[in-house]
Amino acid sequence: MANDRDNGRPGMSDEDWARFQQQAAAGGAAAPREPSARAREVTARLRATQGQEPPGWRTGPAWQQRRRPGRTLKATLAVAAIAGLALIAVRPELLIDRITGEAEARQEARNAAPLPAETARPLAPPPSLAPDQPTLSEPFRGSPALQWADGAAGIEVPAATPMAGMSAEKVADALQKAKQFLVAANLDPATLRGERPAAAIELLDPRQPGLMKDVERYLSAPTAQDTPVLLFTRFDPAEVKPVGEVVKVRGSMRAEQGEPGELRVVTDYTFVHPVTPAKGGTDVQRTIVRRQVTLSLLDPARWEATRGRLQLHAYNSEWSNVECEAADGFLHPQFAGDALAGPQPTGPAVDPYDRSREIKGEKGCGTVTRS
């Protein structure tokens, strides 16, 4: 220790003195002080009783353990705050929805029970909902169809009873074939992507005068007036693709007596098809197709008919949120940013979800009040 003092430094180890010189040269901490006699006494006692060095007098594990949890908590809160700000920046509508109550309304709509089956034409249109835009993940958001049945499940076949001189079994067969026709004409993926609706055509009677000739002409040489979309729902696959696999369906069917030896199946269904551009993007539109189709099962003993096949007695159709009077045999949904094509609508405004009204037989192009 005497030699240390003669060299102008307090009594400390060479290692501590070198550390001090480095800190001083860097403008660091003040010169360390030698422990007092009292501190050396306490250190010696602890070393003798515990067999280990006590925590250092400059730094020690207690300081680190107190402050590390605090630093970790602050860092976590900072990350959470940044993530929250990023979420609001990317999707500000989430905050707006929460403030305006739209998020709660949307969740209530999602949780609403499906509507009971329609047994007769309703007396009024479905209630209006808060305006909302469909998305790729929620293509029926803001639409009354959200509570409708999915696909073929929406075409419910009523109980069959003997009618028109036919047994209950024959009536049930006619009802089932009417459902098969509607599914093949409006829900079959091949039909929707513009292929030949072979399954639907197979159910029709080739002996019905003029029917097959008209169907073939509609498919091979469509015009704005003579188009296959009068009977079949078809989209151009180069233009659009479906959003998901669900088409919402609502309507009813019934069997009734026609002329002697004729059983009629009267159907009235609305199909809601969500689609998006085939080239990609996030724009989603809903094409709404309503069809009132009456099919006949004729007794071959009374009529010129093929046993077990259906004949078309009458059909009226309307399709909404599409280009007016397209002449290529497809329905053309209108997307945001598309240039208006075809004739401009001149007819009255129509609610495509209003199933309380009759479809008028005249041709024309109007506007829709909602989609």
Side-chain angles (χ1 to χ4, degrees):
M1 294 293 289
N3 292 336
D4 289 338
R5 289 190 182 94
D6 291 342
N7 292 334
R9 52 183 172 141
M12 62 175 67
S13 69
D14 291 338
E15 183 180 355
D16 288 341
W17 178 250
R19 187 183 303 113
F20 162 67
Q21 286 182 318
Q22 290 174 356
Q23 291 174 342
R33 294 172 299 168
E34 183 180 10
S36 65
R38 175 61 178 166
R40 289 196 298 271
E41 180 182 352
V42 171
T43 297
R45 187 184 305 119
L46 288 171
R47 186 181 297 114
T49 57
Q50 297 180 3
Q52 62 181 11
E53 294 287 341
W57 59 275
R58 298 183 195 70
T59 61
W63 183 88
Q64 296 172 357
Q65 290 173 358
R66 279 199 304 270
R67 290 162 178 75
R68 279 182 180 165
R71 291 209 309 262
T72 303
L73 178 61
K74 289 178 183 178
T76 302
L77 291 177
V79 171
I82 293 170
L85 290 173
L87 183 63
I88 294 172
V90 174
R91 299 191 62 190
E93 71 273 13
L94 297 180
L95 179 61
I96 296 172
D97 286 353
R98 186 168 296 278
I99 294 173
T100 61
E102 296 234 356
E104 290 79 0
R106 192 175 293 142
Q107 189 61 45
E108 288 178 5
R110 290 193 202 99
N111 296 336
L115 294 175
E118 190 176 282
T119 57
R121 185 181 300 171
L123 300 177
S128 297
L129 304 177
D132 212 342
Q133 295 300 311
T135 66
L136 291 172
S137 60
E138 296 182 81
F140 300 102
R141 192 169 76 177
S143 166
L146 183 63
Q147 292 178 259
W148 293 8
D150 294 354
I155 305 176
E156 298 198 22
V157 176
T161 58
M163 189 179 298
M166 300 182 186
S167 66
E169 289 75 17
K170 287 187 177 180
V171 173
D173 182 62
L175 291 168
Q176 285 292 344
K177 286 178 176 173
K179 174 175 180 173
Q180 292 171 22
F181 177 81
L182 293 173
V183 170
N186 300 281
L187 299 174
D188 182 76
T191 301
L192 294 178
R193 60 176 174 260
E195 298 179 17
R196 180 180 175 81
I201 294 173
E202 185 65 24
L203 292 163
L204 299 178
D205 189 351
R207 299 181 68 181
Q208 182 174 353
L211 175 62
M212 290 303 171
K213 182 179 178 181
D214 287 344
V215 169
E216 293 302 331
R217 178 165 48 86
Y218 293 169
L219 289 168
S220 61
T223 66
Q225 289 72 39
D226 296 330
T227 171
V229 298
L230 291 170
L231 288 171
F232 314 113
T233 303
R234 309 170 79 236
F235 298 98
D236 183 352
E239 180 181 287
V240 302
K241 61 182 178 181
V243 178
E245 299 179 353
V246 173
V247 176
K248 290 292 187 176
V249 181
R250 186 157 181 80
S252 63
M253 76 165 59
R254 69 180 186 276
E256 62 180 35
Q257 170 77 51
E259 297 183 38
E262 179 190 24
L263 173 72
R264 293 178 184 170
V265 181
V266 182
T267 72
D268 182 352
Y269 285 91
T270 301
F271 305 85
V272 182
H273 300 264
V275 293
T276 192
K279 62 185 179 183
T282 59
D283 192 2
V284 177
Q285 294 294 330
R286 293 184 285 251
T287 293
I288 303 111
V289 178
R290 186 179 175 196
R291 301 194 184 277
Q292 292 178 329
V293 181
T294 299
L295 298 153
S296 294
L297 182 66
L298 300 175
D299 182 358
R302 290 175 173 263
W303 298 85
E304 185 177 341
T306 303
R307 187 176 301 278
R309 296 290 191 93
L310 301 174
Q311 296 199 4
L312 275 173
H313 178 77
Y315 56 92
N316 285 313
S317 303
E318 67 178 20
W319 38 91
S320 304
N321 206 24
V322 295
E323 176 188 326
C324 288
E325 300 183 15
D328 61 355
F330 297 113
L331 297 175
H332 295 277
Q334 299 290 287
F335 295 100
D338 286 350
L340 293 178
Q344 299 305 300
T346 58
V350 171
D351 179 358
Y353 293 101
D354 182 5
R355 297 186 35 74
S356 65
R357 59 184 175 80
E358 187 76 19
I359 298 178
K360 296 182 179 180
E362 68 269 13
K363 297 179 180 179
C365 186
T367 57
V368 294
T369 59
R370 55 178 169 174
S371 63

